[in-house]
Amino acid sequence: MIQKKFNEVDRRIFYFPAVRPCETVSPATLLGSLIVLSQNIGNYQSKFLATQRRNSREAIRKIGILLVLFEEIHDRGLILPETAVLCFSELHLTFQKIRFLLEDCSREGARLWILMKSEMVVTQFRVLIRTVATALDILPLNSMDICGEVMELVELVAKQARKARIEIDPNDERAMRRVLSVLDLFEKGIEPEFQVLKWVLDYLEIKTWSDCNKEIKFLEEQWVESEEREVPFLSSLLGFMCYCRVRIFDTLDYQNADQTDVRCNMEVLSCLNPEDFRCPISLELMIDPVTVSTGQTYDRSSIQKWLKAGHTICPKTGEKLTNTELVPNTNLRKLIHQFCADNGVSLAKTGKKTRDIARTILPGSPAAAEAMKFLSRIVARNLVFGTCEQKNKTAYEIRLLAKANIFNRSCLIEAGTIPPLLNLLYSFNKSIQENAIAALLKLSKHANGKKIVVENGGLRSIVAVLKRGISLEAKQTAAATIFYLSSVKGYRRLIGEIDETIPALVDLIKEGTPCGKKNGVVALFGLALYHGNRQRVIDAGTIPLLLHIIASSNKDELIVDSLALLATLAECLDGTLAILQASSFPLITRILQSTTSQAGKEHCVSIFLSCCTNGGDEAVAVLAKDTSVMSSLYSVTTDGTAQASKKARSLIKMLHKFHETSSSGQGCQAFTNEQSVHVW
């Protein structure tokens, strides 16, 4: 094949990256590629098309006839004149575009969008079919020794392509108008009739909950990447489909639905400082973080400019790059996106603002706003008066809707969904409990959501799931919920004072999946920000657990988060004593020297600084034994953040002072407290 293959998932809809055959291509190669391309287009005859059936059928039929011509030339080994080669090159380019268009018309999840873009699609078909006619006009059939029957067929195709009436199918137009009428009703604050919604979905053959959900996911993807002028319309269609998903479909067909969110709905939690999300070159939040050979991470556009300027060293470390490969840092990208989603932050991308659907505080259109308000009232009623099956489906709907954007969370909270969700936490049904706690997790990201959870006695209910949840997933989600609730200073004390909270989080760190361990660590970190909780965390045996994770885990993020919690606990005396008793300095030193995470390095320095401050000269003496520590600290002073650099300088000063004191013969000072501690 001459044309480059493009993944359907990667290519944006209505974008046709066709490649014109080069001028030096051999006629045989061009002909062979045309045959394969025509056959590929013919395969769309068997694919389902919800709309544009007539136009697609006609395009496929015409290309099928031209395939007969190509095969005739190929089988008989006919020599192509130069004019024919030019014609076939043009046909090849046009056929690629037709294939892309047919791919879009049959794309899974895009049925509503193709319907509502009928005029654009029809225009594309019209332009491409006319281009085929123009190309055939210059085809020198008389000088190609083609049999008369094939020649007649080609001439007929050319004539039909010139005169073809390519229009919107009347049934498509009727369906499109019905959708627009529903959007108009939403905008006026009027709920549409069930039968109208059902008619539209039946016409598009959206028959199940998962079919509807695929349409929503596709629209969300388009919404993020769309031009500003498209946002209100896309938002309205999203509101329409979300409303249909809740109102039309009574059951979840899990066997077909995307279970990524169901099986592991763990939030990407982290103790990272938001400053770690900034590109060291541009100092802006990274849109597309990538890692270079030295282990440093930069925004793709910034490091690409650096490399294009001819630089061969790492901008931050000054080390020579062994290669120019840029490895996507997907984990950091998730963290950045979640940080932005939770804080309503916008990112700048290639000179214009990109819209992450999770960052919308205001609705994209009046129709979308009203649809969501109607929808919120429906789910609130179902949570109270529905059957067990309806309550389970409704809780799952809420976790999806609340995940989508901030406005949705606000509407769902206002409609009163939190109290009945808290009641569902005591269900003996595994699926209901998992969906209820996951829905509360999403709603607890909103300030009002946190407040209502606490005011309705939700803390003990969530801790009960953390301690005695039916499934490990429910426990892990409860830990994530506690993390978000602990972002409010006043709630940290309330959560920590519930006797079961901290021991249950420690148990989760022991028994959970890597995702669950991470949630447990980060939830404890949130609680430990309140000084009164730190002793409880230490007494629960957290420090040996953290050291074990740091020593044995292969999950970089989990290690960094464990270091963050350890650094927080080291600030109090008992935390320092526990770290010193575990003889952990060599381990922390190894991590300081090996980790590529700037946050990880800073946490290591913080641990050392707290231990040396609280532990006195005996702790300093232990650290001073390892001469390699000093070079690592100097590295942090030059490469680390301002805060990390300040801590490293303080620690270097302490080590210098210790060496000066030791050399003067004064020796090591004991701990100022009476307790004797074995530190090595």
Side-chain angles (χ1 to χ4, degrees):
M1 293 286 291
I2 293 175
Q3 73 268 22
K4 179 180 177 181
K5 290 187 178 179
F6 288 84
N7 190 317
E8 178 181 344
V9 177
D10 295 336
R11 183 179 62 82
R12 261 195 87 185
I13 199 163
F14 302 139
Y15 169 60
F16 304 153
V19 180
R20 184 180 294 277
C22 63
E23 294 179 3
T24 57
V25 66
S26 72
T29 301
L30 177 60
L31 187 62
S33 187
L34 265 173
I35 290 171
V36 174
L37 189 52
S38 301
Q39 290 169 340
N40 287 342
I41 290 170
N43 291 336
Y44 283 92
Q45 187 75 47
S46 61
K47 293 197 176 184
F48 175 74
L49 295 163
T51 58
Q52 299 294 331
R53 293 188 182 97
R54 181 177 175 277
N55 293 329
S56 299
R57 224 172 21 242
E58 282 301 306
I60 293 168
R61 185 184 67 80
K62 288 178 175 61
I63 290 170
I65 293 172
L66 292 177
L67 175 59
V68 176
L69 167 67
F70 304 143
E71 290 175 337
E72 162 93 357
I73 296 170
H74 179 269
D75 294 344
R76 293 178 59 193
L78 300 179
I79 305 232
L80 293 177
E82 189 176 339
T83 314
V85 173
L86 289 173
C87 169
F88 284 3
S89 292
E90 190 63 36
L91 286 176
H92 192 285
L93 184 69
T94 306
F95 283 12
Q96 290 178 62
K97 294 177 181 178
I98 290 173
R99 182 172 67 83
F100 286 130
L101 183 56
L102 291 169
E103 188 177 86
D104 288 342
C105 290
S106 60
R107 185 179 289 201
E108 191 173 53
R111 295 176 189 178
L112 178 64
W113 187 236
I114 292 293
L115 172 69
M116 303 313 291
K117 286 291 184 178
S118 288
E119 290 183 10
M120 175 191 286
V121 176
V122 165
T123 300
Q124 291 286 354
F125 271 117
R126 187 180 297 124
V127 168
L128 293 171
I129 294 301
R130 294 287 189 271
T131 304
V132 170
T134 303
L136 292 177
D137 284 342
I138 65 168
L139 184 63
L141 289 172
N142 293 326
S143 60
M144 292 172 61
D145 196 22
I146 301 294
C147 73
E149 187 179 342
V150 173
M151 189 179 297
E152 287 178 9
L153 286 172
V154 174
E155 288 173 346
L156 180 62
V157 167
K159 183 179 178 181
Q160 289 177 343
R162 280 193 299 272
K163 297 183 177 181
R165 292 182 60 194
I166 301 171
E167 299 172 342
I168 299 177
D169 185 290
N171 290 326
D172 289 354
E173 189 163 6
R174 190 177 303 115
M176 186 168 54
R177 291 189 183 283
R178 289 206 175 184
V179 174
L180 292 173
S181 70
V182 170
L183 298 184
D184 187 53
L185 287 174
F186 278 138
E187 196 162 337
K188 292 174 180 175
I190 302 171
E191 275 200 273
E193 293 181 10
F194 179 90
Q195 290 303 325
V196 175
L197 302 174
K198 188 74 166 58
W199 185 93
V200 172
L201 266 59
D202 286 346
Y203 180 77
L204 294 173
E205 295 203 32
I206 297 172
K207 297 179 178 179
T208 64
W209 183 95
S210 60
D211 287 342
C212 193
N213 196 45
K214 287 172 187 173
E215 297 287 318
I216 291 169
K217 286 187 174 183
F218 175 83
L219 290 170
E220 286 174 346
E221 290 167 6
Q222 294 304 303
W223 190 93
V224 172
E225 297 295 334
S226 65
E227 298 293 332
E228 198 68 41
R229 56 189 172 80
E230 291 272 25
V231 170
F233 188 50
L234 275 162
S235 298
S236 297
L237 293 179
L238 266 169
F240 170 84
M241 287 307 297
C242 287
Y243 184 86
C244 288
R245 187 180 68 191
V246 170
R247 192 170 172 195
I248 302 294
F249 301 106
D250 294 327
T251 57
L252 297 168
D253 49 320
Y254 279 131
Q255 67 274 17
N256 296 321
D258 178 10
Q259 290 298 291
T260 304
D261 189 62
V262 176
R263 294 186 185 280
C264 185
N265 188 50
M266 299 301 98
E267 293 292 307
V268 187
L269 306 179
S270 178
C271 306
L272 285 174
N273 188 316
E275 289 304 306
D276 296 310
F277 302 155
R278 297 190 182 277
C279 174
I281 298 174
S282 67
L283 302 182
E284 298 291 337
L285 285 178
M286 288 183 275
I287 303 290
D288 185 10
V290 293
T291 302
V292 297
S293 61
T294 59
Q296 298 298 320
T297 299
Y298 303 93
D299 199 22
R300 184 183 294 276
S301 61
S302 297
I303 191 64
Q304 282 178 337
K305 288 177 184 175
W306 172 267
L307 295 172
K308 283 179 182 177
H311 300 293
T312 58
I313 60 171
C314 176
K316 190 162 185 178
T317 66
E319 297 176 51
K320 187 171 179 62
L321 296 170
T322 56
N323 59 65
T324 57
E325 184 181 2
L326 303 177
V327 180
N329 191 329
T330 52
N331 288 329
L332 182 58
R333 190 170 188 269
K334 288 177 185 176
L335 289 173
I336 294 170
H337 281 201
Q338 183 170 322
F339 168 77
C340 293
D342 294 340
N343 294 278
V345 177
S346 292
L347 297 176
K349 184 177 182 181
T350 60
K352 67 177 183 180
K353 286 188 177 179
T354 185
R355 292 170 299 278
D356 187 318
I357 199 157
R359 288 183 228 128
T360 48
I361 299 172
L362 298 175
S365 72
E370 294 304 317
M372 189 59 216
K373 290 174 186 176
F374 285 132
L375 190 49
S376 298
R377 290 194 282 271
I378 292 172
V379 297
R381 284 197 303 270
N382 289 345
L383 282 176
V384 177
F385 302 110
T387 63
C388 282
E389 187 178 351
Q390 287 173 329
K391 288 178 180 179
N392 183 43
K393 175 184 179 288
T394 301
Y396 185 62
E397 290 284 4
I398 292 172
R399 69 190 281 189
L400 293 183
L401 292 166
K403 181 181 180 180
N405 60 63
I406 296 170
F407 177 75
N408 287 4
R409 290 171 207 156
S410 176
C411 289
L412 290 163
I413 291 165
E414 231 174 90
T417 58
I418 287 179
L421 281 171
L422 289 170
N423 292 335
L424 292 181
L425 294 183
Y426 294 99
S427 170
F428 293 108
N429 182 295
K430 173 177 172 288
S431 183
I432 290 177
Q433 188 181 74
E434 287 176 352
N435 285 324
I437 189 64
L440 286 164
L441 164 62
K442 301 297 190 297
L443 296 177
S444 69
K445 294 180 179 182
H446 195 285
N448 289 341
K450 295 180 182 73
K451 182 181 177 184
I452 293 172
V453 166
V454 174
E455 288 177 349
N456 282 269
L459 292 181
R460 290 193 176 275
S461 303
I462 293 165
V463 172
V465 174
L466 174 67
K467 179 69 176 176
R468 294 178 289 276
I470 298 171
S471 68
L472 187 57
E473 182 187 324
K475 294 179 180 181
Q476 293 175 167
T477 309
T481 309
I482 287 170
F483 168 75
Y484 281 108
L485 293 172
S486 68
S487 65
V488 179
K489 287 183 180 180
Y491 298 162
R492 293 169 191 160
R493 178 181 61 81
L494 295 176
I495 298 168
E497 286 176 351
I498 299 173
D499 292 338
E500 293 181 319
T501 305
I502 290 170
L505 287 171
V506 171
D507 288 342
L508 182 62
I509 295 172
K510 291 177 183 175
E511 302 165 6
T513 64
C515 202
K517 290 179 188 295
K518 184 176 176 60
N519 282 5
V521 168
V522 177
L524 284 176
F525 175 82
L527 295 177
L529 294 176
Y530 170 62
H531 287 260
N533 285 332
R534 292 181 183 178
Q535 192 62 50
R536 296 187 183 100
V537 175
I538 294 166
D539 291 344
T542 305
I543 287 177
L545 259 182
L546 295 175
L547 292 171
H548 175 71
I549 289 172
I550 293 166
S552 61
S553 177
N554 59 357
K555 304 290 183 184
D556 292 342
E557 288 179 29
L558 179 56
I559 291 172
V560 170
D561 289 334
S562 298
L563 288 167
L565 177 54
L566 198 62
T568 302
L569 298 178
E571 291 175 7
C572 61
L573 181 59
D574 283 350
T576 290
L577 295 177
I579 292 169
L580 293 174
Q581 285 173 335
S583 302
S584 57
F585 274 17
L587 171 63
I588 306 301
T589 301
R590 176 167 63 81
I591 299 299
L592 173 62
Q593 294 169 342
S594 63
T595 185
T596 58
S597 164
Q598 292 302 314
K601 290 180 185 293
E602 180 174 348
H603 297 323
C604 289
V605 173
S606 297
I607 293 166
F608 285 146
L609 184 59
S610 294
C611 286
C612 290
T613 302
N614 295 332
D617 281 354
E618 187 172 343
V620 179
V622 174
L623 186 61
K625 286 181 181 179
D626 189 341
T627 55
S628 66
V629 170
M630 197 66 84
S631 61
S632 299
L633 293 175
Y634 277 118
S635 177
V636 173
T637 62
T638 55
D639 298 335
T641 63
Q643 189 68 18
S645 179
K646 182 180 178 181
K647 293 174 184 176
R649 285 195 299 272
S650 297
L651 194 53
I652 289 169
K653 188 176 179 181
M654 291 176 75
L655 288 170
H656 277 312
K657 185 177 179 181
F658 173 81
H659 284 301
E660 289 170 4
T661 304
S662 298
S663 62
S664 65
Q666 292 181 24
C668 299
Q669 298 295 319
F671 279 109
T672 54
N673 60 305
E674 295 179 358
Q675 185 175 1
S676 176
V677 180
H678 176 66
V679 297
W680 196 252

